[in-house]
Amino acid sequence: MGQPMIAPSMAQAEDGPVIVTAVLEDKALRHTRRHRHARGQLLGASHGLLSVQAMDHLWVVPATHAVWIPPQVPHGLQSHGPFSGWSVYVSGKACATLPQAPRVFEVSGLLREAVARAASWAAGDLSDAQQRLAGVMLDEIAITPAALLGLPMPKDARLLKIAHALAAQPEAHRGLQAWADWAGIAPRTLSRRFVAETGFTFTAWRQRARLLNALEQLAAGQAVTTVALASGYDNVSGFIATFRRVFGVTPGQYRRSR
């Protein structure tokens, strides 16, 4: 589970400083069950990779990005490797002008330096200078565009059953007809509702699930060939080409950058 990054009473407090910032390094994996709190939370990794579930989305968050979670949104996380990360908890009142749905975005150099500065502040009310820097951090959360690192989950119980199985078994080669039979749904209905509920075709959603799973394995130090086969690809070159098209770098380049 791991220790809370701030006292639960502070995370649930409606009053207090506009932001509370914390950093944590833990040699163990971090796994936090789904929970919610009154403050909004900006969560990022200093090194490695996080998987974050919030509402009906699953995000894979590399150290270059962070996930924004509005107040009272149920969420949970898991680190892939020892946890080294940071969080900014934002008062509910200040969240009124921030995104009202969870999102992942790339962390700017300005925001990263501001978080590092805020993490050194003593507990208690903020000075005028600290209030101004907190305002800059809120502006960065508000204006930075979302990144495409999420996996929307369907709501239909039969489709959700398939989605969870695909995410857990990315190497499975079962076709659409077989998945439909397994879940007790007509293939045409499966295809139509997958698009309606996730915005992706069944095939595109499965490919995205495989690539996000590949990010997790690469961050854990697995070899590219091992990751390609475990992600359901028959050959490494096809995996590398797809990975580069989606993320802009090869799997090897991504693995070295972590």
Side-chain angles (χ1 to χ4, degrees):
M1 285 290 294
Q3 67 188 73
M5 296 193 74
I6 65 171
S9 59
M10 177 61 74
Q12 297 294 355
E14 296 287 351
D15 54 4
V18 63
I19 66 167
V20 177
T21 305
V23 296
L24 178 67
E25 291 192 13
D26 194 334
K27 294 181 179 180
L29 297 174
R30 186 173 183 83
H31 178 74
T32 304
R33 290 179 294 198
R34 288 175 73 88
H35 64 287
R36 66 177 76 192
H37 34 70
R39 284 179 171 263
Q41 182 181 9
L42 182 67
L43 172 66
S46 302
H47 305 283
L49 194 76
L50 299 174
S51 294
V52 179
Q53 292 183 337
M55 294 180 66
D56 57 354
H57 269 68
L58 170 66
W59 283 280
V60 172
V61 188
T64 52
H65 290 64
V67 59
W68 165 247
I69 304 166
Q72 301 299 349
V73 170
H75 60 282
L77 71 88
Q78 178 178 333
S79 69
H80 301 276
F83 179 78
S84 177
W86 52 268
S87 276
V88 178
Y89 295 85
V90 183
S91 68
K93 183 178 180 179
C95 290
T97 58
L98 301 181
Q100 298 302 296
R103 67 194 303 184
V104 171
F105 61 86
E106 187 171 1
V107 178
S108 67
L110 174 61
L111 179 57
R112 193 174 297 279
E113 291 301 319
V115 169
R117 175 68 64 86
S120 69
W121 295 345
D125 294 337
L126 304 185
S127 68
D128 289 344
Q130 290 171 341
Q131 290 276 12
R132 290 192 292 271
L133 185 58
V136 170
M137 295 166 68
L138 298 182
D139 286 344
E140 287 291 288
I141 296 172
I143 67 175
T144 306
L148 300 177
L149 289 173
L151 190 64
M153 304 296 280
K155 296 179 175 61
D156 182 290
R158 297 163 298 178
L159 270 61
L160 188 60
K161 179 182 178 181
I162 294 172
H164 283 309
L166 286 170
Q169 306 168 34
E171 76 284 0
H173 287 282
R174 183 184 295 173
L176 185 147
Q177 177 71 59
W179 281 113
D181 293 342
W182 178 74
I185 185 173
R188 288 186 179 181
T189 303
L190 188 160
S191 296
R192 184 179 68 254
R193 293 190 67 87
F194 235 97
V195 173
E197 297 190 15
T198 70
F200 291 93
T201 65
F202 173 82
T203 299
W205 194 97
R206 177 167 59 181
Q207 180 187 80
R208 193 175 186 84
R210 286 174 168 175
L211 289 175
L212 295 181
N213 180 271
L215 287 179
E216 297 175 1
Q217 294 186 63
L218 290 167
Q222 295 293 325
V224 172
T225 299
T226 301
V227 174
L229 297 176
S231 298
Y233 287 83
D234 294 326
N235 61 80
V236 178
S237 59
F239 168 67
I240 293 174
T242 302
F243 191 98
R244 185 170 188 172
R245 184 176 68 252
V246 173
F247 297 118
V249 295
T250 66
Q253 289 170 332
Y254 175 85
R255 185 171 179 270
R256 288 191 294 273
S257 73
R258 295 305 95 198

